[in-house]
Amino acid sequence: MIQQSLTQRLNLAIFAVMALLAFVISAWSYKVDLQTMRAQYTGVAGSLAPTMIELVVLDQPETVTEFNRQLRNFPQLRGLTLMTLQGEVRYEYRRQDTALACPRDLPWLAPLADGCMVIRQKLEFESAQWLNYAMEVDTKELQTQIFRQAMMVVMGTLFCFWLIYRSIRRWVIRPVDELVAGLPLMGSGQVKFPYAGVHRSELAMLARTLESSDRQLYERQLQAKELNSRLEASLQAKSDFLANASHEIRTPLNAVTGFIECLEAQRARLTPEGQEQLKLLQGASQSLLHIVNDVLDFSRLEAGELKLDPQPGCPSDFLQRVHAHYQGMARLHKVEFGLCLDPKLPARVVMDEGRLEQILGNLLTNAIKFSPGGQVELICRAQSGDSDYCQLCFSVKDTGIGIEPQKLAGIFDAYTQADGSVTRRFGGTGLGLAICKRLSQLMQANLEVESQPQQGSCFTLSLTLPLSQPGSAGENRGASSELERPLQGVKVLLAEDNISNQKLMQVMLKRLGCDALTLASNGQQAVDACQRESFDLVFMDCQMPVMDGYRATRQIRLGPSAETLILALTANATEEDRQRCLDSGMDDFLAKPVTLATLGEGICAARRRQGKQASQLP
Ligand code: ADP
């Protein structure tokens, strides 16, 4: 398109200039011819002047015949009229073959258009004016001559046009065409203009510049690709590291939190000092678990692996539970902690309580942490809605230290803390709000903050939730007796290589009612045990020596215990790990560290979901 329009415009411009030139040349040569002709016939009049004076001034009629004969010697003279200076006509001559007079008197157009012209003049002779005369001259020859000249000018102009066009095409249009054609290849390292090295024109300079820019661009792209792949590799390494670190931390943490729970059951038997230490231990293990979960959640959110699990529930019950849960922490920080619920809250909505609690929990933890001795309020308002949806606004408001305006913009960025000294005073990883923001995006919700230094902050989460009718599917979470002792009379195989976790699971499974437990320290032992006898339920660790849990499960599924309910119990806690467990044939997945409650709930949920296998359990 560009090339075409450039060529067309150039052609048009050259053509216009050439046409104008041809016109000017023709007009000029016409003018010169006309002047020559006028001068020639004025000269004729001069040579005939004595006779003309005799005829008009001296009135000698005998000279007429001789004068007529003289005039016939000028074949192009069509007529002549002689008048006195006062305008009285004294003589008229007209050739026989040109009876008609010139139709127009225009001195510049008539010779070309009508083939004749009229010359009106006063006759001067010996410095005196004698008479007026009007000469009609035939200009047909002039017409032909002018036409011939015009043809030659046009031919010459066309030839020049062709010559100029050829050179412009060669020196301008073609190089520009090549430049334009090379532009899409910029950055490929293959741009080459044949004339770039040969010529010295501006276009050749431009071509050389483009060639070197192409090479630079290509090299930069290679560098960018290299950097990108290094970045990807380091991101992968980061993810792998997080997954590994999380696995390695979760395994001992499972034992720590589990045994703390066991000690908690025996709290009454401890001395007051022991009870105090147990409390501190619980706090420390909870904080550790919280950090590990945050790090893992964040990497799962970053990788887009985290999925929501919305279930029907009552928002005010849920908020009361959350409020009760953070009361202890508020008391510890001497914070007055209130709950304000909109009376118009819907009875039931479909929400992911776990993730919603995670967001509110983070906001509440911060609010309490940053408002020592102040006030914190958890507020929920029903904004608007229709018969299917409602919009809820959860706010966490505090009267704490607030956030500087310049820090507010990046407050939801990962690893951000408003002030380094704040971190030292209050602790924290800087991941909490980033997780909240990403979770809220996952819920298609909006999380905002308003804050004034030393006056407090207000974080608001607005989201639209579907309404749920009471008794909808998914609300039956199992009878409480089943939850308390779900393993009563159930024959269990535990495949676990870590001694501490084996011991812990023995205690926990016993407390869930299990009194027939077989231990396997690796996958091979688990497969052998399943060949020997049948089990109702297998807890399978994934990473074990000799044979890992995935392979062991596949082999068990091929043997006599193909229908056995197999639950992964692993410190590999990502969605990818979960999928890998399910793909290898396991029925469900429990991530370490597990508490007695999560273990019990997990067993019941798996039994419900795997109706067929559950029916095989007594
Ligand atoms: P952290 O785990 O470090 O608290 P967050 O992402 O939860 O990380 O918070 C990031 C930073 O935002 C905090 O270090 C603190 O400076 C600031 N912040 C968050 N909530 C509040 C609040 N309610 N009042 C004052 N500052 C807050």
Side-chain angles (χ1 to χ4, degrees):
M1 281 298 280
I2 298 167
Q3 305 155 37
Q4 255 186 16
S5 100
L6 181 70
T7 316
Q8 277 168 6
R9 278 175 206 191
L10 264 170
N11 286 350
L12 210 67
I14 301 170
F15 187 76
V17 170
M18 289 290 133
L20 192 69
L21 210 65
F23 178 75
V24 170
I25 293 173
S26 303
W28 180 75
S29 92
Y30 173 57
K31 192 182 160 210
V32 171
D33 288 348
L34 218 56
Q35 277 172 352
T36 315
M37 203 163 185
R38 280 179 82 91
Q40 186 189 340
Y41 278 90
T42 317
V44 168
S47 67
L48 296 173
T51 322
M52 283 157 76
I53 294 169
E54 275 174 27
L55 262 174
V56 177
V57 182
L58 305 177
D59 201 12
Q60 295 177 349
E62 63 274 14
T63 52
V64 169
T65 325
E66 175 55 21
F67 190 55
N68 283 351
R69 199 186 52 77
Q70 277 183 341
L71 290 183
R72 266 194 288 278
N73 291 335
F74 302 99
Q76 284 171 332
L77 188 69
R78 288 172 46 162
L80 176 69
T81 310
L82 300 178
M83 293 152 282
T84 61
L85 285 172
Q86 290 72 36
E88 187 190 337
V89 175
R90 290 284 173 85
Y91 169 80
E92 266 195 302
Y93 163 80
R94 182 155 298 281
R95 279 177 71 106
Q96 302 299 306
D97 49 343
T98 54
L100 288 174
C102 259
R104 267 178 281 200
D105 217 9
L106 286 175
W108 51 271
L109 183 66
L112 200 61
D114 306 331
C116 70
M117 74 169 169
V118 181
I119 304 168
R120 288 179 201 287
Q121 203 87 29
K122 277 192 190 341
L123 182 74
E124 283 187 24
F125 188 68
E126 293 180 347
S127 308
Q129 290 187 343
W130 296 91
L131 54 97
N132 286 327
Y133 68 88
M135 237 179 208
E136 278 182 43
V137 181
D138 191 322
T139 57
K140 289 226 168 59
E141 239 175 62
L142 183 72
Q143 261 183 333
T144 324
Q145 188 185 330
I146 289 200
F147 177 72
R148 220 178 287 128
Q149 275 174 359
M151 285 306 290
M152 278 171 67
V153 168
V154 168
M155 299 288 282
T157 310
L158 281 177
F159 180 68
C160 291
F161 171 76
W162 178 74
L163 275 184
I164 296 174
Y165 173 75
R166 238 175 71 110
S167 346
I168 290 188
R169 178 147 190 82
R170 183 164 173 204
W171 300 112
V172 180
I173 297 178
R174 204 171 296 154
V176 170
D177 275 1
E178 281 175 20
L179 285 181
V180 173
L183 286 182
L185 296 176
M186 284 299 286
S188 66
Q190 292 169 0
V191 174
K192 195 101 200 98
F193 301 109
Y195 58 92
V198 187
H199 297 290
R200 285 160 164 259
S201 66
E202 285 81 356
L203 279 174
M205 265 170 62
L206 180 62
R208 282 194 289 276
T209 314
L210 282 178
E211 277 182 5
S212 81
S213 306
D214 167 60
R215 276 192 299 277
Q216 282 174 10
L217 209 60
Y218 179 63
E219 276 158 25
R220 300 243 165 93
Q221 274 178 355
L222 285 184
Q223 283 169 0
K225 261 189 207 155
E226 164 78 19
L227 282 177
N228 199 31
S229 55
R230 267 199 257 161
L231 186 70
E232 270 172 17
S234 67
L235 282 177
Q236 186 56 45
K238 186 192 101 180
S239 290
D240 293 349
F241 168 76
L242 283 177
N244 270 341
S246 149
H247 176 267
E248 292 309 311
I249 296 169
R250 273 165 185 274
T251 305
L253 199 58
N254 188 40
V256 173
T257 54
F259 282 120
I260 289 175
E261 209 175 20
C262 295
L263 281 176
E264 178 64 32
Q266 301 164 29
R267 169 180 273 275
R269 302 222 306 258
L270 297 175
T271 61
E273 201 182 20
Q275 286 184 9
E276 183 59 30
Q277 286 167 355
L278 177 62
K279 204 168 145 196
L280 292 173
L281 209 52
Q282 270 173 332
S285 75
Q286 284 312 315
S287 304
L288 198 55
L289 187 58
H290 189 77
I291 293 169
V292 173
N293 282 340
D294 269 4
V295 172
L296 192 70
D297 276 350
F298 185 70
S299 58
R300 285 162 74 188
L301 279 163
E302 286 280 88
E305 281 179 355
L306 207 136
K307 301 273 174 321
L308 293 176
D309 179 22
Q311 298 287 343
C314 167
S316 47
D317 286 358
F318 161 70
L319 286 163
Q320 273 161 9
R321 269 200 314 276
V322 173
H323 180 249
H325 194 255
Y326 287 88
Q327 269 296 2
M329 183 181 178
R331 266 198 298 275
L332 211 67
H333 288 78
K334 302 194 173 35
V335 166
E336 201 180 301
F337 180 27
L339 174 67
C340 173
L341 297 180
D342 189 336
K344 294 196 299 287
L345 280 186
R348 303 193 82 72
V349 293
V350 180
M351 57 187 168
D352 185 334
E353 282 188 18
R355 295 298 169 191
L356 204 52
E357 180 168 353
Q358 191 174 357
I359 298 178
L360 295 179
N362 259 316
L363 300 179
L364 285 170
T365 309
N366 281 342
I368 295 170
K369 193 165 80 170
F370 294 116
S371 314
Q375 290 155 9
V376 172
E377 197 173 17
L378 173 60
I379 307 161
C380 185
R381 285 187 305 274
Q383 293 286 72
S384 58
D386 54 22
S387 55
D388 294 328
Y389 287 89
C390 73
Q391 203 194 359
L392 296 186
C393 246
F394 299 89
S395 301
V396 174
K397 206 169 169 184
D398 67 59
T399 57
I401 62 169
I403 304 165
E404 295 290 333
Q406 68 271 24
K407 304 279 180 183
L408 266 184
I411 202 77
F412 293 112
D413 295 345
Y415 316 113
T416 300
Q417 279 153 336
D419 182 347
S421 63
V422 169
T423 319
R424 285 188 289 281
R425 261 168 66 207
F426 297 97
T429 55
L431 275 183
L433 289 182
I435 292 175
C436 290
K437 186 72 186 178
R438 282 165 176 73
L439 278 177
S440 68
Q441 284 163 348
L442 199 63
M443 293 175 181
Q444 296 179 339
N446 192 27
L447 180 60
E448 286 172 341
V449 58
E450 281 172 25
S451 185
Q452 289 287 330
Q454 307 313 324
Q455 291 187 17
S457 314
C458 180
F459 287 81
T460 305
L461 175 79
S462 325
L463 77 168
T464 305
L465 293 172
L467 293 172
S468 148
Q469 299 311 317
S472 332
E475 289 188 66
N476 181 12
R477 298 218 174 244
S480 62
S481 63
E482 189 197 12
L483 270 178
E484 274 163 23
R485 294 180 69 78
L487 296 180
Q488 200 155 27
V490 175
K491 217 172 149 194
V492 177
L493 170 68
L494 171 67
E496 167 67 73
D497 62 320
N498 185 291
I499 305 289
S500 313
N501 281 332
Q502 274 184 6
K503 292 224 161 81
L504 174 67
M505 282 300 286
Q506 275 175 309
V507 177
M508 283 182 143
L509 294 176
K510 196 166 177 61
R511 286 182 58 192
L512 290 174
C514 171
D515 38 29
L517 177 66
T518 305
L519 282 176
S521 296
N522 59 51
Q524 186 58 59
Q525 285 182 11
V527 174
D528 294 344
C530 287
Q531 299 280 355
R532 274 194 317 271
E533 53 189 303
S534 75
F535 295 95
D536 302 312
L537 173 61
V538 176
F539 286 108
M540 185 69 78
D541 189 14
C542 291
Q543 286 186 9
M544 287 184 289
V546 186
M547 184 187 285
D548 65 29
Y550 310 110
R551 247 180 83 200
T553 305
R554 271 188 222 104
Q555 297 214 0
I556 292 171
R557 290 289 181 229
L558 296 173
S561 302
E563 301 295 310
T564 304
L565 181 64
I566 303 179
L567 289 188
L569 190 60
T570 170
N572 297 334
T574 65
E575 190 58 35
E576 210 179 312
D577 296 322
R578 177 192 171 85
Q579 198 52 51
R580 197 167 164 209
C581 291
L582 298 182
D583 290 347
S584 69
M586 298 185 208
D587 295 291
D588 217 332
F589 172 97
L590 292 173
K592 288 175 189 171
V594 284
T595 61
L596 205 57
T598 53
L599 189 60
E601 267 175 35
I603 293 167
C604 292
R607 285 174 67 177
R608 272 199 306 276
R609 250 177 260 150
Q610 305 292 325
K612 200 169 159 222
Q613 279 99 326
S615 68
Q616 288 177 352
L617 297 169

